[in-house]
Amino acid sequence: MLFSGSLFMTSGSAQAATVTTSASSKANAVIATGKRYMGVPYKFGAKTGNTSSFDCSSFTQFIYRQNGVSIPRTSRQQSKVGTFVPRSQLKPGDLVFFYSPVHHVAVYIGDGKILHTYGKGGVKISNLNSGWWSDHYNSARRVL
């Protein structure tokens, strides 16, 4: 009986590790896709699927969709999908939201950095943990 329990635990642990690895791999793929568009101009209301310009939510929707994950179009809609994540538990691939009410979204890429697009310079990486982005942080959601 103890032997069977050990096999069950090992099997369950292996399954949990596979799920974690899968989410981590998917997050890495989403981030890599986003980084390919560094510098692409920001344009409010950019059409979904357009890669010559993005707004914040068309960017996140596009890079997730390129990796098989469907999320809504607007930042406010995106802030309601997946599961809530406390700021202290952010993982790469989490969606991070700003302002109240929400009207900006970014992708957490690890080490206190976010990948997003806004204003001059378009798609870029910014520091979440200092200055403006830290002050205007609202919430985060895990969709992977």
Side-chain angles (χ1 to χ4, degrees), residues 43-118:
K43 180 182 177 188
F44 180 77
K47 290 189 175 212
T48 300
N50 174 22
T51 59
S52 62
S53 64
F54 296 104
D55 68 13
C56 65
S57 56
S58 72
F59 176 66
T60 53
Q61 185 185 50
F62 177 79
I63 65 174
Y64 279 81
R65 182 177 288 161
Q66 292 300 299
N67 290 282
V69 179
S70 179
I71 59 175
R73 171 61 179 88
T74 70
S75 57
R76 195 166 302 168
Q77 291 167 335
Q78 291 175 11
S79 73
K80 296 175 182 172
V81 298
T83 57
F84 172 80
V85 179
R87 186 170 178 170
S88 63
Q89 295 177 22
L90 287 172
K91 291 183 180 179
D94 289 342
L95 292 171
V96 181
F97 301 93
F98 300 87
Y99 300 104
S100 185
V102 167
H103 60 274
H104 186 69
V105 61
V107 179
Y108 186 72
I109 63 171
D111 297 322
K113 306 286 188 213
I114 54 173
L115 176 65
H116 60 146
T117 186
Y118 74 95

